[in-house]
Amino acid sequence: MKSFRADYVFPVYADPIKNGIITVDDTGKIASVTDQHSHPPGGPVEQLSGVICPGFINAHCHVELSHLKEKIKPRTGLVNFIMDVQKFRNIDKGEITDAALKADDEMYENGIVAVGDISNTNNTIGIKKASKLYYHTFVETFGFLPSRAEDTFNNALELLKEFKPMSCSITPHAPYSVSKELFKLIRDHSASGQNLISMHNQECEDENKFYRYKLGSFLDMYDAFGIDIQHFKPLARNSVQSVLPLLTNKQEILMVHNTCTNLKDIYFIKRFDRKITWCFCPNANLYIENRLPKIELFIGQGYNITLGTDSLASNNQLCILSEMRAIQHNMPEISTARLIEWATLNGARFLGIDDEKGTLKPGKTPGLNLITGLDGLMITPETRVRRLV
């Protein structure tokens, strides 16, 4: 048994415990969470300065793009980012694998215990099988041409088979890259049971402009990729409003980024019976578009909110604490306690692993993180995370 005492223990499902003590066995399973006046089981108690919380959940990542670190010019906008990724992504498989393995290790060292990871290839299967982290792989589909929908979906099914029996599902990439026909195939695939979805949503203003008026920089992207979009008819609605009816309530849906999602979009979604979770990746938003979503609009709306890192193509590190820091630096009214909940329990709920991860409750094996360098309970540039278990 190991016992740790810290300035605060954040169980997440209950109020923080000042001078709390947490005890775990040799497998990392929590034996007890007590206050300073209780006697923990086991031997001596290690005194620590800081906050102990559960291991972090990275709800959105692209491990297979880790070789693109520092290769994509920042702040050029989403369309240029997409075109650069396509230009650089297919290189030597050994380099891709080495970079992905380092990314997996980096996340472990940064206190991440589980990842919702996007994959377009089988490059990360071996890494995920051997990893200390829990992965749910989203096999991502691209295909804006209706005539290609069935072939695209069948290819995704074949890749899904390669990832099984690990946790995995088929997902659409984004509204602007998936045809109605492909959306419907993904929806029908979910008819027999629940299917986790992770969709990039409203990362830039031109995504909404395209869906409302068929204008903007996406026209240049389709032209550069040789995609004929004569079939597409704008619906005079923002992108998320246009594609939401193509999803069902049998899909747990993670809307990722939401940089340009507004209050009307949120109210529109509320009128539908859909299982929506929001995911914010602030450092990637700053890297690509140099702007942040209006996160304050989402608070108090009754939705699950999670955090992700996106990929090393759009971020300098895979660290959930860094995402928390970026949010609180720009929105200091969002408390550290709330950010910890987004970074732990809420991500575990979405991935369906909250029976083991996300809270410091006896019987669980959530991992333990020590957060140091807080000013009171506010995150500072000096704040760091260290994995304890």
Side-chain angles (χ1 to χ4, degrees):
M1 292 280 189
K2 295 179 182 178
S3 294
F4 305 96
R5 185 202 306 269
D7 299 327
Y8 284 92
V9 170
F10 276 57
V12 181
Y13 73 94
D15 291 337
I17 304 170
K18 189 173 183 178
N19 295 317
I21 302 170
I22 184 163
T23 301
V24 297
D25 68 15
D26 292 340
T27 68
K29 182 182 289 186
I30 296 175
S32 68
V33 181
T34 61
D35 61 29
Q36 59 184 316
H37 303 296
S38 302
H39 296 286
V45 178
E46 184 178 349
Q47 180 69 50
L48 301 168
S49 177
V51 166
I52 293 176
C53 71
F56 295 142
I57 312 296
N58 185 356
H60 179 74
C61 192
H62 302 247
V63 173
E64 69 183 17
L65 298 183
S66 299
H67 63 288
L68 297 182
K69 185 177 181 180
E70 299 179 350
K71 287 188 171 67
I72 310 294
K73 189 176 179 181
R75 298 182 294 280
T76 62
L78 180 64
V79 168
N80 287 325
F81 175 81
I82 292 169
M83 294 176 72
D84 283 344
V85 167
Q86 294 305 312
K87 190 187 306 179
F88 290 116
R89 71 177 300 156
N90 295 316
I91 60 169
D92 177 68
K93 188 170 181 179
E95 184 177 340
I96 293 172
T97 303
D98 288 346
L101 187 59
K102 289 178 183 176
D104 178 76
D105 289 338
E106 178 184 342
M107 286 193 282
Y108 180 83
E109 292 301 320
N110 285 333
I112 292 168
V113 296
V115 186
D117 189 61
I118 305 293
S119 290
N120 302 112
T121 70
N122 61 7
N123 291 334
T124 58
I125 290 176
I127 293 168
K128 290 172 180 175
K129 283 181 177 178
S131 178
K132 299 173 185 175
L133 309 182
Y134 171 91
Y135 279 95
H136 178 91
T137 297
F138 295 97
V139 174
E140 189 176 65
T141 59
F142 290 83
F144 204 59
L145 294 177
S147 61
R148 293 284 303 157
E150 193 167 339
D151 285 345
T152 300
F153 184 74
N154 287 336
N155 289 338
L157 282 176
E158 290 303 312
L159 183 55
L160 190 75
K161 290 177 185 176
E162 293 188 58
F163 276 97
K164 288 181 175 180
M166 292 186 293
S167 182
C168 54
S169 57
I170 294 177
T171 198
H173 167 252
Y176 56 81
S177 61
V178 175
S179 66
K180 283 184 181 180
E181 290 75 10
L182 185 50
F183 266 116
K184 290 174 181 176
L185 288 169
I186 297 170
R187 179 190 65 195
D188 294 344
H189 179 66
S190 304
S192 59
Q194 197 175 88
N195 185 60
L196 289 181
I197 295 288
S198 177
M199 184 174 72
H200 299 77
N201 178 58
Q202 294 173 295
E203 285 186 73
C204 67
E205 291 290 2
D206 274 13
E207 180 177 328
N208 287 329
K209 187 184 293 185
F210 176 69
Y211 263 87
R212 293 187 75 87
Y213 314 114
K214 202 175 181 177
L215 296 173
S217 59
F218 280 96
L219 299 181
D220 299 327
M221 183 188 74
Y222 297 124
D223 185 58
F225 289 147
I227 299 172
D228 184 351
I229 60 167
Q230 289 187 41
H231 67 279
F232 176 76
K233 302 292 187 264
L235 300 176
R237 289 177 176 173
N238 283 352
S239 62
V240 69
Q241 298 184 29
S242 300
V243 302
L244 191 70
L246 300 173
L247 305 170
T248 80
N249 63 5
K250 292 185 178 179
Q251 298 166 319
E252 292 280 352
I253 304 160
L254 190 73
M255 296 288 189
V256 183
H257 294 304
N258 318 300
T259 320
C260 300
T261 304
N262 61 36
L263 206 52
K264 287 184 178 179
D265 294 322
I266 296 171
Y267 289 159
F268 179 91
I269 289 170
K270 281 194 165 189
R271 300 204 301 268
F272 285 77
D273 178 25
R274 299 292 186 272
K275 299 172 182 176
I276 303 294
T277 292
W278 303 103
C279 180
F280 298 113
C281 309
N283 285 319
N285 303 148
L286 293 169
Y287 194 101
I288 297 171
E289 286 282 326
N290 199 28
R291 63 179 292 182
L292 292 172
K294 295 179 179 178
I295 296 176
E296 67 276 7
L297 299 180
F298 300 81
I299 298 173
Q301 298 287 352
Y303 291 109
N304 201 36
I305 296 176
T306 66
L307 301 177
T309 61
D310 209 6
S311 74
L312 286 173
S314 59
N315 205 336
N316 294 318
Q317 57 185 323
L318 302 180
C319 177
I320 291 296
L321 178 63
S322 178
E323 305 302 321
M324 295 162 65
R325 182 185 292 113
I327 291 173
Q328 200 172 78
H329 175 74
N330 290 277
M331 304 165 204
E333 68 277 11
I334 300 179
S335 70
T336 299
R338 173 165 271 166
L339 289 169
I340 288 175
E341 182 178 349
W342 293 359
T344 57
L345 174 58
N346 290 3
R349 279 176 174 161
F350 171 70
L351 293 177
I353 56 172
D354 52 313
D355 58 335
E356 286 293 327
K357 311 293 184 188
T359 59
L360 302 182
K361 187 178 285 189
K364 287 190 171 186
T365 52
L368 297 184
N369 286 343
L370 177 68
I371 301 176
T372 59
L374 295 164
D375 181 7
L377 285 177
M378 296 295 286
I379 299 168
T380 73
E382 289 73 39
T383 302
R384 298 290 183 268
V385 62
R386 175 164 70 90
R387 189 186 194 103
L388 295 175
V389 174

